Amino acid sequence: MSDPPRTGALPASARPVWAEVDLSALRHNASVLARLASPAALCAVVKADGYGHGAAPVARAALEGGATWLAVATVDEGVELRDAGITAPVLLLSEPPLPAMPEVVAHRLTPTVYTKSGVRAVSDASAASGVVTDVHVKANTGMHRVGADGADVLGVVSAVASSPGLRFGALWTHFPVADGVSEDDRLFTEGQLAQLAGLRVALEAAGMPPPMVHAANSAATGAYPGSRLDMVRCGIALYGVVPAPAMRSVWARALDEAGAPALRPVLSWHARVTLVRLLDEAERPSYGRLAPLPARSWVATVPLGYADGVPRRYFSAGGTVLLGGTRRPLAGMVTMDQIVVDCGVDEGVSVGDHVVLIGEQDGASLTTEEWAETLGTIAHEVFCAIGRRVPRVIVGGGGNR
Ligand SMILES: *Cc1c(COP(=O)(O)O)cnc(C)c1O
């Protein structure tokens, strides 16, 4: 990974910035998670364009690695997978807008439902097309975002069971603090699992046993073996990131127990220097003239800015990039399209030099986890911020069929 990737994939006229997506690492992670989850199935969460990695290539690679389900947030995202020729089951993680149900049915997507009007709309759309649609019923057990409250779950499932065009495919829920390590978080998550188990028992007693029950996101998959149930829905771990820094040891133990190797990062982020200049001590580069250079320094301009996913606060938070195998601080405020990097007394820095924002360079590394820590956020947001102006260069084979 220390070699600059083939910019041959970029046109010579392009701004020299790119994100490399390594599908061999993605397949590896899918196989690790499938092994960890087994006998539960692995659902690869590829919403938000595969967390910014590219939904269709990621989905294919995840399926090659052992995932059997895919999940997305919106109907459009599901249609995109179908248009790419992907035939695996695709779960929509929220109830689609009622007018979208004909499109859901036509593309054989699996909607989540939790309202009677949602059930009626997907039932009508199925009847109109003469097909039977699988639906997953979501229970709200404490996230309080979407899902039917416990008392309403039986009614929603009954509505599904009495609709000729529908099949009750699964009962599921979602955890807000599975990545937490406090005793409170643990009790909350276990309480949710207990509620879900209670709902399953009630549905069985009512003659409507759920064919499948699922709950775990990446965090729960590692930390709560009892949450793996029939299927786990993994996003961030699929992209090679342990869900929270505090969970590293929990994950290491879980992977060890499953006889599975470590996760590998999938995405690395690159650019080339476009200008270098020598500035005097106390010069203040970029907007706001916020910080004086501590010494006479070579300052490199790199053509990536906040419109590309480097937040403005990356400067004030002390963010760095790799250049010449060394961590270098920013010399001033991030602008929309460019950053300035303080290369100190290093005369060796020149135009065209390879800059790594996320990834490895000559033995040094800068991870997405570190970006998240620097910015006070989670890796999910770092990935999703990488903008559309940054071409994704797919390596690692496969994923293209
Ligand atoms: C996004 C999402 C996931 C995946 O979460 P990760 O933390 O990325 O594993 C799972 N389930 C639901 C409902 C989600 O919205």
Side-chain angles (χ1 to χ4, degrees):
M1 266 236 306
S2 69
D3 278 352
R6 39 270 64 192
T7 38
L10 301 174
S13 60
R15 191 172 63 142
V17 306
W18 68 101
E20 184 178 283
V21 175
D22 180 358
L23 294 183
S24 70
L26 199 121
R27 276 192 298 277
H28 165 87
N29 295 340
S31 75
V32 165
L33 294 169
R35 182 153 176 182
L36 181 62
S38 171
L42 172 64
C43 174
V45 179
V46 300
K47 61 191 177 187
D49 198 26
Y51 291 42
H53 292 58
V58 160
R60 289 191 201 98
L63 294 166
E64 288 162 5
T68 51
W69 277 77
L70 302 168
V72 293
T74 69
V75 176
D76 285 353
E77 290 173 345
V79 170
E80 183 188 331
L81 295 175
R82 290 290 181 246
D83 287 349
I86 293 167
T87 57
V90 174
L91 175 64
L92 302 175
L93 291 166
S94 292
E95 189 174 274
L98 306 188
M101 291 302 188
E103 208 179 356
V104 169
V105 168
H107 288 90
R108 301 172 326 286
L109 306 175
T110 303
T112 288
V113 292
Y114 35 76
T115 68
K116 292 203 176 150
S117 52
V119 172
R120 201 172 319 115
V122 65
S123 168
D124 289 350
S126 298
S129 304
V131 298
V132 174
T133 301
D134 244 41
V135 301
H136 288 198
V137 174
K138 175 160 193 211
N140 170 32
T141 58
M143 173 81 179
H144 304 320
R145 180 176 60 174
V146 297
D149 289 342
D152 301 328
V153 166
L154 202 66
V156 173
V157 175
S158 299
V160 170
S162 61
S163 301
L166 301 185
R167 178 181 164 272
F168 176 37
L171 172 72
W172 71 278
T173 197
H174 190 46
F175 300 126
V177 285
D179 61 342
V181 288
S182 75
E183 189 55 21
D184 265 5
D185 292 340
R186 174 157 288 276
L187 288 173
F188 193 89
T189 303
E190 306 221 314
Q192 289 186 277
L193 268 174
Q195 277 186 67
L196 192 64
L199 290 170
R200 181 207 288 255
V201 168
L203 289 170
E204 283 167 354
M208 300 178 291
M212 198 160 71
V213 180
H214 55 94
N217 55 2
S218 295
T221 299
Y224 296 85
S227 74
R228 294 172 193 156
L229 303 169
D230 299 310
M231 181 164 87
V232 299
R233 305 183 308 268
C234 290
I236 200 67
L238 187 67
Y239 305 98
V241 174
V242 168
M247 292 188 103
R248 262 175 221 142
S249 62
V250 173
W251 267 81
R253 206 175 323 122
L255 292 175
D256 201 47
E257 276 165 17
L263 299 170
R264 282 165 44 191
V266 174
L267 181 142
S268 55
W269 193 6
H270 311 262
R272 289 187 187 282
V273 172
T274 52
L275 262 180
V276 180
R277 75 179 88 242
L278 182 61
L279 291 178
D280 284 336
E281 180 184 341
E283 285 288 356
R284 296 163 171 265
S286 196
Y287 288 125
R289 306 188 63 242
L290 295 179
L293 288 171
R296 193 170 152 84
S297 298
W298 292 92
V299 171
T301 302
V302 179
L304 278 170
Y306 60 78
D308 304 295
V310 184
R312 290 179 86 236
R313 68 185 186 284
Y314 199 59
F315 166 63
S316 54
T320 60
V321 301
L322 301 178
L323 209 174
T326 305
R327 279 167 184 263
R328 320 263 190 183
L330 303 194
M333 181 55 93
V334 174
T335 74
M336 190 183 289
D337 315 305
Q338 333 208 37
I339 53 176
V340 282
V341 178
D342 182 354
C343 301
V345 294
D346 195 343
E347 288 182 31
V349 175
S350 45
V351 169
D353 279 4
H354 180 209
V355 180
V356 172
L357 290 96
I358 293 175
E360 295 181 6
Q361 189 182 56
D362 303 334
S365 91
L366 192 49
T367 62
T368 310
E369 288 93 323
E370 194 176 338
W371 271 68
E373 266 168 72
T374 300
L375 292 166
T377 183
I378 54 176
H380 306 61
E381 192 183 18
V382 175
F383 283 140
C384 288
I386 300 176
R388 294 171 52 167
R389 299 196 308 194
V390 179
R392 272 55 169 181
V393 177
I394 305 277
V395 302
N400 294 315
R401 276 160 292 136

